[in-house]
Every structure is written in structure tokens, then in C-alpha cells.
């Protein structure tokens, strides 16, 4: 395409980078890595893929989340019981939402994998990536078709066609990337067996479209089973590798690894996942969930001028008072989404490297966060004091509980490999560690407590629930104080009279230690 | 709040940074700056504000754009003429959209300014920022109230209350930041007259809430004028400074600058604007616009199973064929949004520093991009071949034309101060410069051409328009070739027989020059 001049620019950079890489790498302290990589980004800003990836993350996160809107917009009949309407919901719309969320995050994981191999972009790659994005955004429509017409094969065929085209575009991207080696990851670019890498990556990528091709042919013969087949095709590498990993952890045996280890496309749960992109994707989901709420408010809660004239004698304040609970619900839900983001943000401040397993838990957590607009809709839909209202509050608690719980799971899975994934000062036993744990367990605890409260107290209502949601930020502000008080209290309880026993190393950690010792 | 340990961590970093800053700075080559700043980010990752700002950008960009949905969802009557319905639209919903977009971007600009002063965050600041975001997301609702009930002062009062609370939170953030100096910008942190900075910033921030307070009192007396007053309050600093700047450019006189120059809160058009945040905000807008389209498709274009049974004899393909034009419209619109993002992305690859003026043009461009879902809705709403369809295509052309034109304006304004804002190899006269100009002018030219085509050809229809939209990416791929051919052609036309004249320095630029010479 006549990109010669650009390639020259980039090759110049690469020379510089190679000089810089004389310092030994791969020593598994990611601090140094993050510093050097950010240094390099400063140099190659002309063709860095950073912004392309940020835009893709934003697109994918919005697509993943936005399918909650049709669910939340489903109207409930008041005379019906909530449980029944939830069941009618569950049949199609929630299924579409969850399918979309999962498949889109799988596509997103594939996208991460691809652009961990190809680290620089040019115009052609940017356009190819846009085409890929266009097809990914079309996936939710195929799910809508599948869910509405489960007996028609058109939905499956469309889905298979989309996946095949996405696969072909990815193959094109890989071929183009390997034809212009300066676009590649440094590790592969310098490697002797670049051809092997190319073959391996192409093989992994081509697997899905080829199997989709067979699935679409199979669907013409016996379409009911093709749903199962599709699910297997897409999740198989993850499931098999996860099982293998769990097996190896449980038994303790070693996973057989080839000596010339592939860094990417291994599907190990400990395969590195770009931390930046996990953050960007999560930010997108939290942001769109927070703003879906105000969109509903703006569309539904502005009264008609004629209604105000007739029913309220032109008294707008009285008309708006009708919507009082909904404002409360909005502020409560925004506070919850904001604080879940805040916890996620605090968590990732301490994380130096993300793994696949953490990414999986993150996806589950985000899928529940995406359900919050539904909770918002439920809690203000029903008349106050009704049995339905109580059940709506309980549903909200369940959603918040699981969103928080999977964040906690992410933290626990990070602790399992804390040497690689965590900053030294938050590792098990530090004071920051205790504080982080308290932050993470606050929401699950509050949600669980509220759930049991609703079981005991029959007069628990949605406004009280939303007031609680708004009150939680202050709990976060006080948390550090509380944790400290509790630690001192525990110390006092257990260690009085035994000054010789060093029973709480938590308090003994030298606060001067962190970071600098590692960097220098 | 007991943040002692963290503050110690950060102060440690600052020592390191101070050592590093022994190299002379402020030499206005932003390459070096970008490198050193990214180096620093690597170190202080524990409390870097990067992700907080990215999340805020995502929230604000979605809020700014999402108000186009009520506009796009307005139903048109087929028997009515398009012009009439556009006029009924213009009255309220478009006004709400534009007001929201402008005010929200003003709030965003204030947010950038604030967090250019405060460069690091802790938990308290993160929570304060979330409270600020919650109030900003509530602003569109106050506009909806204002637009629906223009004669009721409740909307104005609510808006003033929100702005005052946002101002107070910003004051709190500044006070907290100056009480913990390690959170501040390095420049201010090292400065002798930190107290002066604090006073100046507080004075600028307090101006808006105080004037809003008076405006809300004034609205009780004579509310019609308070709209004007509010507009003046919010845009006054921009307008006055822009006029001053234009005046100084036109006359050539010097703007009086105090010797101890404030870097921030000056409201000069050349005041620096965080390039990263402009990119993040733009990405958010482009992403949400691209995905709003598929949401409409998923909600509206899945036929009812009963309808398919009755009207199409269970033939889903036939039922979906009805929607054919809408799929075309979707792919066409996605291609347009994607390519406008692509042009924006290419433009910012060449930009080293963004200024207020560029930010202003960017805002205008994005406001038109946000109008694209409306264009999408218009072009498939009307029966084919009707007069309305032609007018809908024209409206789309106008929207695309202005979106592209303001991108071009951004580029031109960057060229005016090219020494500070552009990479050296794209400055006026380079080959990359010609290519960038061609990229930027492609969309305005195509849109203008299509507009005139619709005037001449009466049989021009929406499907042809969308096919054209899908075809544009190939134009981009061929563009580099075309530009080169054209330059050679021009050279051949003008320079044949005059080998002594160096008439096209464009081709003579040494491709080896860029970047490295500047960095080293």
C-alpha cells in the first residue's frame, strides 16, 4: 500500500529498542517490565496500537452490556407475581444477554491474544480491525434471532457466518502482521523460529471458523444439537485447559510444556492477559451500566405537559414528587456501580499482571454488574410494601452479592500466584492486604446482610434499600479506620500477656519497604 | 484518613522524580516530555490517576452522546412532510441534545483542568470524583425538564443546584489536594508560591457556583432572562478569552501575561489540553455512537413469531428480507462512524500536544458524530423513492460533512502552531502532510459530492447512499496511492522542461529524518 516511509520510521525505533533491551528481561519482576514498556511506548507513539485497542475495548464492552436494555425494558404486569414474570424473562431475554456477554468476552479475549502478538498497527491493520469490530457488534442480533426463533436455523447460520468472517479477518491480520515483521511483538520479532509461531497461531485461529463451518452444515441435518456443538466449539479450549490446570493443581503433577514455550495462544489459566485492556474493558462496562440508568430516567420520568396541567394544576413539583422513589433508586444504583468500580480500581492498583483465570472471574463479575439496570428497574417497578417489592430487593442483593463475590475471587486467584501478579506490599500478611480484603468483602457482606434482613423484617422497603446503597461510600471512607481498630482489638484480645509472641506480623511490616526496593 | 503509609510511598517516588528532573525541561519539545512522563507513570503506578480519568472520560462521553436516543426514537408520520417533523424535533429534543453535549463537554473541560493540577489520587479523591460524576450524569435530566417545561423555573433551579454542588465538590478536591501536596502536579508541588496557585484556582472554580447562586435567585424574579444568564455564566471565560486571542492574532499585539505564568486555568485557546483525555473522550463518543445503531437493530428488527407465522408462512428469511435496507443502513453507518474514528486516530497520531482551540473543534465534530444515529434513523424510516428519503439522505450528508469539516479545522488550527502541536515529519510541506490532508478532506468531499448528486439525480436512493458509505474504506486504502499519483502528475504537469526549479519540495523531504533526530 506504499507504506514504505512509515516502515522506515518504525524500523528506526526498533533499533533503539533493541539497544535498550540489552538489560536482562524475563526475570519475572514485572515492575521493571512495566517501566521499560512504558518507556518504549513514548518512543513509538507514531504507530502504537494503544488507542486502537482502547477503542476496540470500548466498543466490545458496550456491545457486551447493552443487551441488558431489552431485558430491563420488559414491562411487568402488576397483578402477576414477580416470580412468574421473572420466569418469562429468563426464557429468552436473559439468555440473550448472558450469551452475548459470554461470547463477546470470548471474542474480546481472542482479540487480546491477537494484539499481544501484533503490537504495532498501520492503516491497513486499523481498517481490518474496524471490519472485525463491525462483525462483532452484529453478533447480538444473531442471538436475538436464535432466542426468538429457536427452531429456525437462520440464527445459527448467521452466527456461524459472522464467526467465520471474524476468523478470516483475524487470519488476514496475522498474515499481514507476519509479512511486515516490525509490527510484531518484540519477542516473536527477534525469535529464530518465527515461521513456527506463525503456523501455530494460524492453526489456533483457523480452528474456530473451520469447526463453525462444519457446525453450520451439521445444523442443516439436525439443528437441535448444533447449539450444543457451537457452545463446545467456542468454550472447548478454555474448558479443557482449565480442567487440566485444576487437575495439575489438585494432583500436583507438572503440566507438560514444550521447551520453546509459546507465550501466547496457550489457553493456560496463567497465560498473561494485558492488564491495561482488562481495565479498559471493565471501565467500559461500569461506565455504560452507570449511564443506562440516567437514560431511563430521562426517557421515562419527564411528565407530559398535558398531564401536569390536568392532574396537578400545573404544579410541576407535585408531579415530580410522584417519581421520588425513582430518583432515590437512580442515586442508589449509581453509588453501587461507582463503588464496585472503585473496588475494582483499588484491586487493579495492586495487580502487576493479569492472568486468564483472573480475567474469567472479572468477566463473571462484570456480567452481574451488567444486570444492575435490571435490579434498578425491578426495585422501583412495584407498589411499595408489596411482596414483589421485597423480592425485587432480594434479587438486587443477589446480583450485588455475586458481582462482589467474583471480585473477591479475582483477588484470591491473584493471591495464589502472588509473586507474579501482585505488588510486594499487598502480598499476604501486609497491612495493605488486610485493608484490601476488607474493601473487597464489604459489598458481599452488606448484600448478604440485607438479604437476610429482608427475610426477617417484613417492613423492609426499596427506599430503605436505596438509602443503604447511598450510605455505603461513607463505610468505605471509614473502612481504613475500622480495619486498624479491628487489628488493634484482635491484637489486644489474643496477645495480652504474651509480649514475646510475634502473633500479628501484620503490624510489623516495614512501611518503608515497598516498590523502591524492587525497582532499584 | 490514615493514609500515612501511602503518602510515604509516594514521597519516595517524588524523590526519585526530582533526581530525574535534573535534565532541563520546558524546552518545548514534547517528545522528551512524553518519554519522561511515561517513565514516571511506570514508577508511581500505585496512585496514578490514569484509570480514574479514563473512567471519568468514558462516563462523560456516554452521557454527552446518549441524549441523541430520545431524538432518534421520535416517530415520524409518513403522511407528514419531513421538514415539518424536523421542525417539531428541533424545538425540544435536538435542543436538549445540543445543550447537554455542550454543557457536559464544558464540565469535562473543567474536569481536565482540575486533574492537570492534581496528578495523583487516593481513595478520598476517587470517592469525591465519583460524587462529581454522579451529579454530572444528572445534568441531562435537568435539561429535559427545562425543554419540556420552559416556563417553569424548577428545571433552572435543579440545574443551578447541580452546578453549585459540582463546584463545591471541586473546591473540596482542590483543598484536599493542596493539603496533601504529593498529590499535586510536579510544577506546582515544586513552586515557591503554591499558596498563590491555590488561591487563583479556587477563585476560578468558585466563580461559576457563585454566579449560579445569583442566577437561581434572579430566576425567581424574572426567569426568562435567566436562561441567557446561565449561558453567559458558563461560556463567558471561553468567549472572552477567545475574542481576546482572535483580537491579538488579528492585530498582532501581545497578550499581557504575568511573568510568573499560570500554566492552567488561563482559558487561552493555546492552553494545553491533555491529549490522552481528548483521545479517551473521543473514543467514548465514537464507540457509543457505533453501538447505539446495533441496539436499535436488536430491539426493532426481530420480528414477532406470531407475525412470521401469519404473514410469511413461517418463512423467517422472507420476513427478514423486509428489513434488508436497515441492515444496509446499519453497516453503512457503522462504516462511517468507524472511518471518522480512523481519521481522528490518524490525526492524533501526528499530534504531540492538544490545545483548547483544537479541543473546541473536536467537540463540534463529535457533536455532529453524535447526530449520526439520527441520520441512520432518518434514512431508513421513509418509503423508498419518496421525497422524504431524498431529504433524509441530504440531512445525513450535512451531518457527515460538518463532522469531517471540524476534523479538518482541528488540523488547520494545529498547523497554525505546528512547532508545538505536530510531529516534525507532518509539518507543512512534508509528504505525510499531503497524505493527512487527503485523508481529512475525503469525507467532507464525498459528503458534499453526494449532496449535490442528490440535487441533480432524482433517482438517488438511500440504499445507494449506504452502498457508498460501505465503499469509502476502499477509498482510504487507495488514498496513499492516489495522493502519490496525483503529486507525480502535478509535478509532471508543472515542472516538465524545468528541471532546475525545485518546485515540489514535497517529494524532496528526507524520509530518514523523522523522530529520532528529535529524540536524540
Amino acid at each position: 500500500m506504499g507504506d514504505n516511509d512509515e516502515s522506515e520510521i518504525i524500523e528506526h525505533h526498533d533499533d533503539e529498542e533493541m539497544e535498550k533491551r540489552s538489560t536482562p528481561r524475563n526475570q519475572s519482576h514485572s515492575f521493571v517490565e512495566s517501566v521499560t514498556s512504558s518507556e518504549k511506548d513514548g518512543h513509538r507513539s507514531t504507530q502504537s496500537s494503544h488507542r486502537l485497542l482502547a477503542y476496540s475495548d470500548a466498543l466490545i464492552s458496550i456491545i457486551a452490556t447493552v443487551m441488558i436494555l431489552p431485558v430491563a425494558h420488559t414491562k411487568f404486569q402488576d397483578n402477576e407475581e414477580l416470580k412468574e414474570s421473572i420466569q418469562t424473562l429468563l426464557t429468552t431475554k436473559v439468555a440473550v444477554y448472558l450469551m452475548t456477554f459470554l461470547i463477546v468476552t470470548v471474542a474480546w479475549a481472542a482479540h487480546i491474544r491477537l494484539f499481544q502478538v501484533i503490537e504495532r498497527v498501520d492503516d491497513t491493520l486499523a481498517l481490518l480491525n474496524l471490519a472485525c469490530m463491525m462483525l462483532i457488534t452484529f453478533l447480538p442480533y444473531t442471538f436475538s434471532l436464535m432466542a426468538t426463533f429457536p427452531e429456525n436455523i437462520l440464527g445459527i447460520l448467521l452466527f456461524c457466518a459472522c464467526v467465520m468472517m471474524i476468523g478470516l479477518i483475524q487470519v488476514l491480520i496475522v498474515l499481514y502482521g507476519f509479512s511486515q515483521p516490525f509490527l510484531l511483538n518484540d519477542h516473536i520479532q527477534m525469535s529464530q523460529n518465527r515461521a513456527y509461531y506463525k503456523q501455530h497461531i494460524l492453526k489456533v485461529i483457523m480452528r474456530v471458523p473451520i469447526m463453525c463451518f462444519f457446525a453450520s452444515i451439521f445444523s442443516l441435518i439436525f439443528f437441535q444439537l448444533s447449539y450444543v456443538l457451537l457452545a463446545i466449539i467456542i468454550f472447548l479450549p478454555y474448558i479443557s485447559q482449565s480442567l487440566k490446570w485444576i487437575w495439575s493443581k489438585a494432583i500436583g503433577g507438572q503440566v507438560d510444556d514444550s521447551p520453546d514455550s509459546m507465550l501466547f495462544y496457550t489457553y493456560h489459566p496463567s497465560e498473561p492477559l494485558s492488564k491495561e485492556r482488562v481495565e479498559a474493558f471493565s471501565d467500559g462496562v461500569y461506565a455504560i451500566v452507570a449511564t443506562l440508568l440516567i437514560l431511563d430516567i430521562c426517557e421515562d420520568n419527564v411528565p407530559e405537559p398535558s398531564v401536569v396541567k390536568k392532574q396537578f394544576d400545573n404544579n410541576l413539583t407535585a408531579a415530580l414528587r410522584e417519581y421520588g422513589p425513582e430518583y432515590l433508586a437512580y442515586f442508589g444504583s449509581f453509588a453501587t456501580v461507582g463503588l464496585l468500580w472503585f473496588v475494582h480500581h483499588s484491586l487493579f492498583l495492586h495487580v502487576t499482571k493479569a492472568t486468564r483465570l483472573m480475567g474469567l472471574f472479572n468477566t463473571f463479575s462484570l456480567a452481574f454488574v451488567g444486570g444492575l439496570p435490571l435490579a434498578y428497574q425491578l426495585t422501583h417497578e412495584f407498589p411499595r410494601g408489596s411482596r414483589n417489592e421485597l423480592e425485587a430487593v432480594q434479587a438486587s442483593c443477589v446480583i450485588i452479592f455475586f458481582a462482589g463475590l467474583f471480585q473477591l475471587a479475582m483477588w484470591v486467584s491473584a493471591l495464589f500466584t502472588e509473586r507474579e501478579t501482585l505488588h510486594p506490599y499487598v502480598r499476604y500478611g501486609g497491612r495493605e492486604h488486610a485493608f484490601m480484603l476488607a474493601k473487597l468483602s464489604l459489598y458481599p457482606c452488606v448484600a448478604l446482610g440485607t438479604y437476610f434482613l429482608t427475610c426477617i423484617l417484613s417492613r423492609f422497603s426499596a427506599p430503605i434499600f436505596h438509602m443503604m446503597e447511598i450510605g455505603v461510600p461513607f463505610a468505605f471512607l471509614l473502612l481504613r479506620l475500622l480495619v486498624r481498630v479491628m487489628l488493634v482489638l484482635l491484637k489486644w484480645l489474643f496477645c495480652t500477656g504474651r509480649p514475646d509472641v510475634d502473633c500479628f506480623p501484620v503490624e510489623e511490616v516495614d512501611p518503608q519497604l515497598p516498590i523502591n526496593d524492587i525497582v532499584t
Side-chain angles (χ1 to χ4, degrees), chain A residues 346-347 349-352 411 415 418 421-437 509 514:
Chain A
S346 305
L347 176 60
L349 277 182
H350 299 318
V351 167
T352 53
W411 175 248
L415 281 177
E418 60 179 9
T421 50
L422 289 182
H423 277 282
Y425 59 92
V426 282
R427 288 191 191 152
Y428 183 71
R431 189 197 291 161
E432 281 297 311
H433 169 83
F435 182 50
M436 192 65 232
L437 203 66
V509 171

Side-chain angles (χ1 to χ4, degrees), chain A residues 241-487:
Chain A
Q241 284 294 343
S242 302
L243 284 178
K244 231 188 249 176
W245 182 78
I246 289 168
W247 185 252
S248 76
K249 281 277 163 186
I251 305 295
Q254 284 292 313
V255 183
D256 52 334
D257 234 339
S258 59
D260 180 25
S261 62
M262 283 293 295
L263 275 172
F264 312 107
Y265 286 99
T266 59
Y267 294 94
H268 286 311
S270 59
E271 190 184 338
L273 195 73
S274 163
K275 183 194 159 196
E276 267 180 26
R277 296 199 61 186
V278 176
E279 288 182 354
F281 181 74
S282 311
D283 282 351
V285 171
Y286 285 110
I288 189 82
V289 169
T291 41
L292 283 180
L293 301 171
I294 194 65
L295 183 65
D296 280 339
I297 291 254
C298 284
E299 282 211 340
D300 302 340
N301 294 2
V302 179
E304 286 284 313
S306 58
V307 173
V308 174
K309 209 167 205 166
K310 233 182 269 171
Q311 295 181 7
F312 298 95
D313 293 336
N314 254 338
N315 187 344
L316 187 57
T317 327
L320 291 184
R321 204 169 290 148
E322 292 278 296
Y323 298 123
E326 310 201 6
Y327 303 133
L328 205 60
Y330 168 66
F331 285 116
S333 301
F334 190 97
T336 306
V337 176
L339 286 174
L340 283 171
W341 174 83
F342 172 70
V343 172
H344 192 274
H345 169 248
S346 305
L347 176 60
F348 270 78
L349 277 182
H350 299 318
V351 167
T352 53
K353 201 188 89 179
T355 63
R356 292 271 149 204
L357 190 62
M358 287 166 71
L360 193 71
F361 287 131
N362 190 38
T363 303
F364 289 149
S365 171
L366 290 178
F368 281 101
V369 169
L372 277 175
L374 177 66
Y376 159 78
Q377 207 75 16
L378 285 177
T379 47
H380 77 252
E381 191 87 10
F382 298 104
R384 197 180 301 181
S386 72
R387 170 126 199 88
N388 283 340
E389 193 195 20
L390 212 62
E391 281 170 359
V393 170
Q394 288 177 346
S396 307
C397 286
V398 169
I399 291 176
I400 295 171
F401 174 72
F402 279 107
L405 195 71
F406 280 113
Q407 287 186 334
L408 193 62
M410 214 174 356
W411 175 248
V412 171
S413 73
L415 281 177
F416 266 112
T417 52
E418 60 179 9
R419 290 216 162 268
E420 289 133 48
T421 50
L422 289 182
H423 277 282
Y425 59 92
V426 282
R427 288 191 191 152
Y428 183 71
R431 189 197 291 161
E432 281 297 311
H433 169 83
F435 182 50
M436 192 65 232
L437 203 66
K439 253 188 194 171
L440 280 165
S441 49
L442 186 61
Y443 257 112
C445 289
V446 167
L448 209 65
T450 315
Y451 187 88
F452 285 117
L453 268 184
T454 56
C455 294
I456 300 164
L457 302 173
S458 60
R459 296 194 60 79
F460 197 93
S461 72
I464 300 178
F465 175 67
H466 295 304
M467 291 301 283
M468 279 182 69
E469 279 186 309
I470 297 172
V472 175
F474 302 101
F476 273 100
L477 280 176
L478 292 173
L479 203 59
R480 201 171 267 272
L481 207 69
L482 284 178
V483 167
R484 202 159 290 195
V485 166
M486 222 170 64
L487 283 177

